[in-house]
Amino acid sequence: MEILKHISLSLQAGDDKMVAHQVRQAIEEELPTTEILDNGLIAGMAVVGDRFRRQEVFLPEVLLAARAMNAGMELLKPLLIAGDVPTRAKVVLGSIEGDLHDLGKNLVGIMLKGAGFEVIDLGIDVPPAKFVDTAEAEDASVIGISALLTTTMTRMGKVVELRNERGLSDKISVIVGGAPLSHEFARAIGASAYCYDAANAVEVVTDLTGGA
Ligand code: B1M
């Protein structure tokens, strides 16, 4: 679809106004929201990530691309959350301590809200204890942690440890996600599950909470 290619290219160019314009156009053309997201915005960001790794672009360009992605996500958000869905369990969400990446985590939050879950978003750079303190205080069923860096993913295990130390393993599940993670990593740190994308996070949280 031509418009999706344009969205991806505008995001790669870091042009937030053009991305917003083209996303509006795609919405008007009634393209499925998930296609605009996956084949437009996320596809464009994947290209930026590859170029960043090869040092063909640098942080300023990545920041502009992130701003453009946010501009597109803001327009898709109401569509992803729309609909009459019954209220379900509470999820405490955040990017682990040291990690400032939040686009994926935000997407997970939007999709969970869209599926009826109550999301308490702690933001970025969240210390392990804050996840557990909040989940305990708010009587949440799930803690969702995002990490995009190999240097920060190692702190995720601390959340599981703290939850276990406080005897909350029967009450609170911990799910993890982010580009450098895997099922093996989730198993190794004792997390309940690894989620490969935001839609998968909704499926996993639904399973873990018994559809409640
Ligand atoms: Co950074 N960065 N970055 N970055 N950045 C990566 C992650 C990197 C892979 C780029 C590269 O080298 N190719 C690399 C990490 C290398 C590594 O650790 N091995 C990297 C680096 C090195 C850095 C810095 C260290 C750079 C520097 O300062 N020299 C620095 C670190 C800052 C910090 O966190 N302390 C840094 C900074 C930044 C920006 C601030 C400029 C910006 C973030 C802006 C923001 O988030 N507001 C940024 C960006 C944008 C990226 C890339 C290009 C794109 C990430 C992204 O948002 N993707 C990224 C390259 C890449 O990933 N290919 C890169 C789109 C998003 C929708 O996907 O977050 O993967 P993602 O989320 C997916 C899934 O992973 C999953 O669902 C989402 C899709 O549906 N998911 C979950 C994510 N969390 C989940 C949680 C769940 C479930 C699923 O449950 C709880």
Side-chain angles (χ1 to χ4, degrees), residues 34-47:
T34 48
E35 266 195 41
I36 306 174
L37 190 61
D38 291 343
N39 301 330
L41 299 176
I42 293 182
M45 189 53 102
V47 175

Side-chain angles (χ1 to χ4, degrees), residues 36-107:
I36 306 174
L37 190 61
D38 291 343
N39 301 330
L41 299 176
I42 293 182
M45 189 53 102
V47 175
V48 174
D50 283 347
R51 289 195 186 138
F52 185 47
R53 188 170 38 79
R54 293 198 298 267
Q55 298 190 325
E56 291 168 10
V57 297
F58 299 95
L59 271 185
E61 286 96 329
V62 182
L63 272 171
L64 288 177
R67 196 175 67 177
M69 173 124 191
N70 263 326
M73 267 166 57
E74 276 306 308
L75 294 167
L76 296 181
K77 196 165 154 181
L79 303 176
L80 290 165
I81 296 183
D84 257 352
V85 281
T87 306
R88 296 159 101 183
K90 260 188 212 174
V91 181
V92 171
L93 189 65
S95 301
I96 193 69
E97 190 167 34
D99 211 310
L100 308 180
H101 296 86
D102 67 356
L103 297 173
K105 183 264 299 166
N106 293 345
L107 207 49

